[in-house]
Amino acid sequence: MSGARGSALAILRGQIERIETAEVVHQRDRVALGHGEADGALKGGLARAAIHEVFCEGRQGAAATGFVTGLAGRVTARKPLLWVRQDFSEIETGALSMSGLAELGLDPRRVVMVRAADVESALRTSADALACDALGAVVLELWGETRQFDLVASRKLTLAAQSSGVTGLLLRMAAQPLPSTAETRWMLRAAHSPPGPVWSVWGAPRFDAELLRNRHGLCGRWIMEWNCDECQFSEPSTYPQPVAAAPAHRPDPAVSWQRRAG
Amino acid sequence: MIHALDEAAERLGLYIGQPLANARAMCPDLRVFDADTVADVKTLSDVADWCDRFTPLVALDAPHGLFLDITGCAHLFGGEAALLRTLVRALARQGFSVSAAIAGTSVCARTLTRQATGTIVADGGEAEAISRFPVSALGAGEAITTGLRRAGLKTIGDVALRSSHEITARFGARFSTLLAHALGQGDAPINPRKPLPDYIVEKRFAEPIATDTMIAMTLSRLAETLIASMEKQGKGARRLEAAFFRTDGVVRTIMVETGRPVTRSAVIDRLFRERLDALADPLDPGFGFDMVRLSASRTEIVVQEQRDLDAHVHDNDELAALLDRIAARIGGKRVVVHLPQDTHIPECAMLAAPAQHHLAAAMQAEWPARAESEPPLRPLRLFDRPEPIKVPFATVPDGPPHQFTWRRALHAVVRVEGPERIAMEWWRQDGKQLTRDYFRIEDAEGLRFWIFRDGLYEGEVFDDEGKPVSPNWYVHGLFA
């Protein structure tokens, strides 16, 4: 009895495998993010030709935008990036600034922006764009919970991405994570700049990134820092020591902080 | 005052310009409607749209006339007489009373419509055809008509007999030119409503079509013909117009624009499918369309490139085609690229331009380079309009705040960098603009803001009595 059930399960698994073989084509194509542990969990990096979702609370919108921008910068590889956004999200969190993008080390020349009036046209546009292999990545930015973005819509995007090899990045601000066909799902919060001397250079983008779902690996939560000069993520760094030598007779405050944190 | 009247009223002896009270006295049960000149103009332009089926050169002759330049078109409708008959009958069926005439010059034809509708004058016969008509038929204006009549010149023939310098001396050069044109001596060009498209193809149906599949099929056939004729001359279309002529006279025109010249009919096909799909008020066939016309109103010479070897060119083409499709669906202004602007005012630093037209420029644009090993100095998200924040107090008068309220939430400031002072461009703007001091701020949660004080402390902002007041604070952007 149990043997029969086992073989039935095996057959079903085999069928599902065959249905999903389309994935195998681009399966190997992964881009390392630069953060060791995250890359480990992702089995070498972020998968191309798939959909990745980034969620955040409403006020964390800018941090999530930064994270998505970083992911897009990693996967596009000098190809154009199509950024589809809903009119409403621009009112809530401000417009994507090209000078800000350039400050993150990304190339504003490769960004084409689509200003969709509503969710339907945004979804339709992104599905169209994901089928076009001249693009490096498509970012779809939605604000709030949306009824229209259901499993069917998500499946459509995934299929389009698989067939063309374009990566889809979904930026969902002020929304709750729901089941979908995405390859990975992240929850984003801004992370503090490490405490340091007043004159130190602070303010490099730091993200508290929680990997909620990973179809082919483990989940986790890491502090990731975006390195604007090298255009990749990295482990959180401490800032360089002050130039003056630390007094020998008492412990360096920065070092003691490091120990506490570690 | 009577603005217009119908035939029955004319028979009663009423005339245009007569006071309404007089008209009522003559005919007490007169039915009166308010004149609506705007609707009249609209109707005339609708009729002109409908007349597009005969020739692309249709000009308005306000208030009630239309000129059609049918040079080279008449044979398509079985000759001039047949064309005139078709036109008058079709318009009469739609409920208009029409008088029409064909002549070598537009002024002559207009004169004929006023006196002898349905006349066709052969070239050179203009003077003879109109010589017996009264001078009022020329439509030269009340003063001139009265003047001519007083001079004893009753018919156009009488006027034509006088030498032209006499007429010019008495009635002005304008009238003498008008007369010359009416007599077929020289012609004034008409002023068509629409520029002549470079290429036109059309299909007429004996039996009107109404189904979507038939419309789509017709469009793709027309697209093939259009492309074939453009290809011979090495042209590609940048702007395409499809006009649907409904049997009841309504004409609907749909336009698509492309970023680069289109040379394949499949592309045209797809663009129109997207456009028709996304129409807010869908194409209403009513009782069917009896004619569909596709015209390329803007074309460009296409440089043939060898595509297969150069992947980069191929990619750019693909991208342009994608942008055309999206633009056809949601509108060209909603697909944008950004161009850097030569200014240091943050909200003016980039200009959004339609991607279809500026894609190449945007790909070549020079953006200011970032400073190495510095954190981002400009926010990733920028508010179009800076949002006011409440700042309770600042310990140092012109220093940064310790906490602020934005969108009803209190943010405690943990780290600050600044100020970065940005002065406004006094040489450009009118009125006084305040200097801004920008601060990069991190709050207790790790959120990073770009805030500024609008105006120098106790230096730029004053109340009515001239005392300095503390300036306002704003959030202008958010850092990642």
Side-chain angles (χ1 to χ4, degrees):
Chain A
M1 182 69 191
S2 73
R5 181 182 289 170
S7 70
L9 270 179
I11 290 166
L12 282 174
R13 283 211 182 96
Q15 278 175 352
I16 292 172
E17 195 85 355
R18 248 170 284 132
I19 292 167
E20 294 193 337
T21 39
E23 282 180 37
V24 179
V25 181
H26 297 286
Q27 200 66 90
R28 298 284 163 76
D29 197 2
R30 288 175 182 275
V31 186
L33 297 179
H35 186 279
E37 284 176 47
D39 281 340
L42 293 168
K43 304 257 166 69
L46 201 70
R48 282 207 177 111
I51 301 293
H52 304 278
E53 290 179 324
V54 177
F55 284 84
C56 72
E57 283 174 39
R59 62 211 157 86
Q60 306 271 7
T65 310
F67 186 70
V68 167
T69 317
L71 294 183
R74 294 301 297 159
V75 297
T76 49
R78 305 212 54 77
K79 277 188 169 184
L81 165 70
L82 194 78
W83 192 291
V84 185
R85 68 118 178 90
Q86 209 186 331
D87 279 348
F88 188 65
S89 79
E90 193 162 304
I91 301 166
E92 276 294 330
T93 42
L96 186 73
S97 153
M98 292 300 135
S99 1
L101 208 67
E103 290 278 343
L104 289 179
L106 301 165
D107 189 355
R109 288 176 295 191
R110 287 185 289 129
V111 180
V112 180
M113 178 82 82
V114 176
R115 302 163 160 179
D118 47 31
V119 181
E120 283 95 353
S121 65
L123 276 173
R124 174 119 199 209
T125 305
S126 353
D128 265 6
L130 276 170
C132 173
D133 59 7
L135 291 173
V138 176
V139 177
L140 171 58
E141 177 184 323
L142 298 176
W143 177 273
E145 306 288 351
T146 52
R147 208 165 23 83
Q148 293 90 339
F149 190 72
D150 51 9
L151 270 174
V152 178
S154 152
R155 183 82 189 143
K156 259 187 205 162
L157 294 185
T158 306
L159 286 175
Q162 279 172 359
S163 60
S164 66
V166 180
T167 317
L169 299 164
L170 255 72
L171 173 53
R172 302 287 312 272
M173 293 182 286
Q176 286 297 317
L178 285 173
S180 70
T181 58
E183 173 77 23
T184 63
R185 188 175 306 133
W186 302 78
M187 188 68 180
L188 244 285
R189 294 168 199 89
H192 286 285
S193 295
V198 182
W199 59 84
S200 72
V201 181
W202 64 274
R206 278 162 76 96
F207 311 105
D208 174 357
E210 187 179 358
L211 184 54
L212 297 174
R213 178 189 153 81
N214 181 5
R215 286 188 76 166
H216 297 97
L218 298 171
C219 297
R221 182 171 178 173
W222 309 279
I223 301 285
M224 296 167 82
E225 190 171 301
W226 175 254
N227 189 327
C228 303
D229 295 324
E230 288 157 33
C231 284
Q232 62 170 10
F233 290 96
S234 64
E235 279 80 10
S237 63
T238 49
Y239 288 112
Q241 304 287 317
V243 182
H249 57 276
R250 53 197 160 94
D252 182 356
V255 173
S256 74
W257 173 82
Q258 247 181 340
R259 263 189 218 122
R260 264 207 315 279
Chain B
M1 189 99 112
I2 293 180
H3 181 80
L5 36 75
D6 67 355
E7 276 173 27
E10 209 163 318
R11 274 199 299 277
L12 284 172
L14 308 185
Y15 56 92
I16 290 173
Q18 189 178 28
L20 183 60
N22 293 8
R24 280 237 165 91
M26 287 168 70
C27 173
D29 52 352
L30 200 64
R31 288 179 68 194
V32 182
F33 306 93
D34 287 341
D36 186 349
T37 42
V38 178
D40 283 353
V41 171
K42 169 94 175 42
T43 309
L44 188 65
S45 122
D46 284 350
V47 175
D49 273 345
W50 179 84
C51 285
D52 274 346
R53 64 176 59 212
F54 295 106
T55 164
L57 294 173
V58 177
L60 297 177
D61 179 30
H64 301 122
L66 290 176
F67 288 131
L68 273 66
D69 186 344
I70 55 163
T71 314
C73 301
H75 70 277
L76 299 171
F77 300 89
E80 291 180 346
L83 190 152
L84 195 65
R85 219 162 35 236
T86 318
L87 187 146
V88 170
R89 260 192 218 150
L91 279 175
R93 236 190 350 260
Q94 291 173 33
F96 295 102
S97 64
V98 197
S99 47
I102 297 178
T105 68
S106 54
V107 182
C108 178
R110 185 174 62 188
T111 311
L112 285 166
T113 60
R114 289 181 180 142
Q115 290 296 328
T117 173
T119 320
I120 299 172
V121 176
D123 252 359
E126 286 90 359
E128 197 196 326
I130 60 168
S131 63
R132 63 198 163 79
F133 297 144
V135 284
S136 62
L138 281 173
E142 196 62 34
I144 292 180
T145 312
T146 320
L148 285 168
R149 224 179 271 137
R150 280 199 189 136
L153 303 169
K154 295 252 165 55
T155 64
I156 298 175
D158 294 343
V159 186
L161 284 177
R162 317 298 303 185
S163 70
S164 80
H165 68 265
E166 281 175 36
I167 300 287
T168 313
R170 174 71 178 79
F171 299 105
R174 207 179 206 179
F175 175 70
S176 99
T177 325
L178 180 80
L179 185 68
H181 290 164
L183 296 171
Q185 304 154 359
D187 192 9
I190 64 168
N191 185 13
R193 295 186 315 141
K194 297 173 190 165
L196 190 60
D198 298 350
Y199 297 87
I200 302 177
V201 288
E202 59 191 32
K203 178 115 184 98
R204 286 157 204 279
F205 303 95
E207 198 63 33
I209 57 160
T211 58
D212 286 351
T213 42
M214 273 305 284
I215 292 171
M217 221 157 82
T218 312
L219 270 182
S220 58
R221 288 243 183 87
L222 288 176
E224 274 166 30
T225 326
L226 188 74
I227 289 295
S229 59
M230 285 197 299
E231 206 171 30
K232 280 182 207 143
Q233 295 171 16
K235 295 273 187 75
R238 285 288 306 275
R239 190 193 295 139
L240 291 151
E241 282 175 22
F244 300 89
F245 293 76
R246 229 161 75 171
T247 40
D248 58 356
V250 178
V251 182
R252 179 80 186 268
T253 309
I254 285 164
M255 190 178 75
V256 292
E257 274 191 289
T258 62
R260 38 180 75 195
V262 179
T263 51
R264 283 185 305 145
S265 58
V267 177
I268 298 184
D269 221 20
R270 178 138 191 213
L271 285 176
F272 272 108
R273 208 162 56 228
E274 296 275 347
R275 187 84 189 86
L276 289 174
D277 252 15
L279 282 180
D281 46 340
L283 204 61
D284 175 18
F287 294 109
F289 300 110
D290 57 0
M291 185 171 128
V292 178
R293 167 185 292 166
L294 187 66
S295 49
S297 45
R298 215 167 102 205
T299 55
E300 264 176 23
I301 292 174
V302 184
V303 184
Q304 294 293 338
E305 285 157 357
Q306 187 163 3
R307 274 137 213 275
D308 294 328
L309 291 177
D310 192 349
H312 182 65
V313 171
H314 170 76
D315 269 10
N316 273 349
D317 278 358
E318 286 258 307
L319 178 62
L322 172 73
L323 296 182
D324 285 345
R325 285 202 300 275
I326 298 175
R329 171 169 292 281
I330 67 172
K333 282 186 190 151
R334 288 188 167 273
V335 186
V336 294
V337 286
H338 298 93
L339 302 170
Q341 297 296 301
D342 188 17
T343 173
H344 55 263
I345 297 180
E347 61 265 37
C348 305
M350 68 176 186
L351 177 77
Q356 283 181 302
H357 305 297
H358 297 94
L359 188 61
M363 294 269 182
Q364 308 291 326
E366 294 271 331
W367 288 85
R370 70 176 298 271
E372 283 281 314
S373 72
E374 284 271 344
L377 299 177
R378 288 284 176 272
L380 184 59
R381 305 211 67 134
L382 195 72
F383 291 107
D384 233 13
R385 197 168 291 193
E387 300 199 352
I389 52 176
K390 266 188 236 151
V391 173
F393 61 90
T395 38
V396 189
D398 54 356
H402 282 287
Q403 57 182 36
F404 63 92
T405 314
W406 175 54
R407 290 182 178 175
R408 298 184 179 199
L410 188 71
H411 299 271
V413 175
V414 174
R415 304 195 68 153
V416 184
E417 191 182 81
E420 179 188 350
R421 182 160 294 178
I422 298 184
M424 293 297 111
E425 294 170 337
W426 51 264
W427 61 93
R428 258 188 215 166
Q429 274 120 348
D430 303 327
K432 191 163 166 57
Q433 296 275 324
L434 301 175
T435 310
R436 299 172 182 174
D437 276 351
Y438 279 92
F439 294 90
R440 284 197 304 132
I441 299 271
E442 183 173 307
D443 79 351
E445 255 186 300
L447 303 179
R448 305 194 180 103
F449 302 88
W450 204 37
I451 67 171
F452 70 89
R453 192 188 54 234
D454 199 20
L456 299 176
Y457 189 80
E458 295 204 335
E460 280 189 334
V461 194
F462 303 98
D463 62 6
D464 298 339
E465 290 157 18
K467 281 185 200 154
V469 291
S470 53
N472 294 323
W473 288 84
Y474 295 90
V475 163
H476 199 170
L478 306 170
F479 289 95

